[in-house]
Amino acid sequence: MDAIQALCQIEEQREFEFTADDFVHIQEFMLRETGISLSERKTSMVYGRLARRLRRTGIDNFCEYFDLVRSDLDERVAFINALTTNKTQFFREKHHFDFLSNVLVPEWQHKNKHRIRIWSAGCSTGEEPYTIASSLAAHGLLTAPYDSRILATDLDTQVLDVGRNGTYGIEACKVIPDKELKNGFIRGRGSKQELLKAKPLLQKHIAFKQLNLMATWPHKGPLDAIFCRNVMIYFEREVQQELIYRFWEKLGSGGILFIGHSESIGEMGSRFDNLGQTMFRKP
């Protein structure tokens, strides 16, 4: 289905005029600025999310709204936030964290490796970096003599605020194993008894930062692991290969790249040892 057909389907309930040219403009902007490729199947989603921005700004047409996005940095951020999909959970694709706990951590300990650097790229609301941190805490890697740091980045500033706060509903935390739960989280009391908050031990080892993967990356030293899972599916293949090459450059020898279950590293596979289950080691 092309953009025009999709727009016709929502024409009756459309509050604002939204043309095929408007959608193409949004596609081009997102691809150019963020590397994200919006398919025509996303037309209704794009309209619905941006219609909320028009209501909030008091603008009644997309042409004027695009002018605001170009001229106002805050609205530019809000525009990108609105079109960024964020879906995550604790211990998602658990085999990756089993590998972290059962293989990587013992390797580091055997080598007396005390400096640990991990990047959670596309961290969304923080469940992934807190899962990593709680796994490290369960093995004592968040206390001396270890120097462990986790960089958690996302394009969306709103989800980063959630991550920094580190508070989650108790239902979302039911998938956390008992040892990691005990080491990493505190249950609220009274009116907050249905909430869990990450302990300061976890929070002080995670730095939440906004980062556009298409921009310059801030890392100063080699990384031991990169988690970039279910992020590259939104990028075109050429961009995916560019990102994987840059991940390879940032990883130290023996470093691991974790990607999503529906993602692949394509021709970059020749630069990695394939460990199976979407885990790749830099030789």
Side-chain angles (χ1 to χ4, degrees):
M1 179 184 296
D2 62 23
I4 295 176
Q5 289 175 309
L7 287 168
C8 288
Q9 287 189 355
I10 64 169
E11 185 172 3
E12 292 303 318
Q13 62 261 36
R14 218 167 48 205
E15 180 180 353
F16 307 101
E17 182 181 4
F18 188 54
T19 68
D21 285 343
D22 290 333
F23 184 72
V24 170
H25 179 83
I26 293 166
Q27 281 181 308
E28 292 174 347
F29 179 93
M30 290 296 287
L31 185 62
R32 181 178 66 252
E33 297 295 325
T34 70
I36 294 174
S37 178
L38 293 172
S39 74
E40 292 170 347
R41 296 191 304 274
K42 302 287 187 180
T43 304
S44 296
M45 180 274 285
V46 168
Y47 170 80
R49 293 186 179 185
L50 292 185
R52 290 195 286 270
R53 295 306 311 163
L54 266 68
R55 295 186 200 105
R56 178 160 294 192
T57 58
I59 295 173
D60 63 4
N61 66 83
F62 278 88
C63 184
E64 289 185 22
Y65 179 67
F66 295 148
D67 287 340
L68 178 64
V69 169
R70 284 190 290 266
S71 63
D72 187 294
L73 179 59
D74 289 340
E75 189 56 38
R76 190 184 186 92
V77 171
F79 173 89
I80 292 174
N81 285 352
L83 297 181
T84 304
T85 300
N86 295 287
K87 180 181 179 182
T88 187
Q89 68 181 58
F90 290 103
F91 285 86
R92 185 180 185 182
E93 299 183 47
K94 186 174 180 294
H95 55 276
H96 287 162
F97 302 103
D98 289 340
F99 184 87
L100 174 64
S101 293
N102 300 329
V103 179
L104 272 183
V105 168
E107 280 184 7
W108 295 336
Q109 292 174 327
H110 179 72
K111 295 176 181 178
N112 288 321
K113 179 179 175 59
H114 295 151
R115 180 189 182 278
I116 309 296
R117 295 294 182 268
I118 299 175
W119 180 17
S120 171
C123 67
S124 189
T125 45
E127 285 89 337
E128 181 176 271
Y130 282 119
T131 298
I132 297 168
S134 65
S135 298
L136 297 184
H139 294 275
L141 268 68
L142 295 188
T143 54
Y146 294 97
D147 173 20
S148 299
R149 296 286 182 270
I150 300 163
L151 175 65
T153 68
D154 202 279
L155 187 63
D156 188 331
T157 56
Q158 294 175 336
V159 297
L160 289 170
D161 288 339
V162 176
R164 290 189 189 98
N165 184 270
T167 302
Y168 302 92
I170 199 165
E171 287 297 318
C173 300
K174 285 186 174 180
V175 296
I176 303 176
D178 290 342
K179 186 176 182 180
E180 284 77 2
L181 189 64
K182 180 179 179 180
N183 280 282
F185 298 87
I186 305 170
R187 184 165 182 172
R189 298 180 180 179
S191 62
K192 297 183 178 180
Q193 62 181 341
E194 295 303 311
L195 299 175
L196 284 178
K197 187 171 179 65
K199 289 183 177 180
L201 176 66
L202 269 58
Q203 290 187 303
K204 74 178 183 179
H205 287 86
I206 304 173
F208 286 93
K209 303 286 185 182
Q210 186 191 29
L211 179 68
N212 184 338
L213 285 174
M214 303 305 294
T216 301
W217 296 352
H219 315 84
K220 295 181 180 179
L223 297 170
D224 301 293
I226 297 174
F227 289 75
C228 185
R229 307 181 309 155
N230 308 299
V231 174
M232 292 187 292
I233 54 175
Y234 300 107
F235 299 146
E236 293 186 333
R237 184 171 180 80
E238 182 179 340
V239 177
Q240 293 175 6
Q241 292 300 294
E242 177 187 344
L243 288 175
I244 294 167
Y245 177 75
R246 294 175 70 189
F247 290 146
W248 177 84
E249 286 187 311
K250 291 295 182 182
L251 284 167
S253 178
I256 306 294
L257 173 63
F258 299 90
I259 63 176
H261 68 278
S262 61
E263 298 169 325
S264 70
I265 61 172
E267 53 264 36
M268 280 297 297
S270 62
R271 294 179 179 264
F272 288 90
D273 293 333
N274 189 341
L275 304 179
Q277 295 187 298
T278 56
M279 299 181 291
F280 303 88
R281 187 188 294 271
K282 179 178 178 179

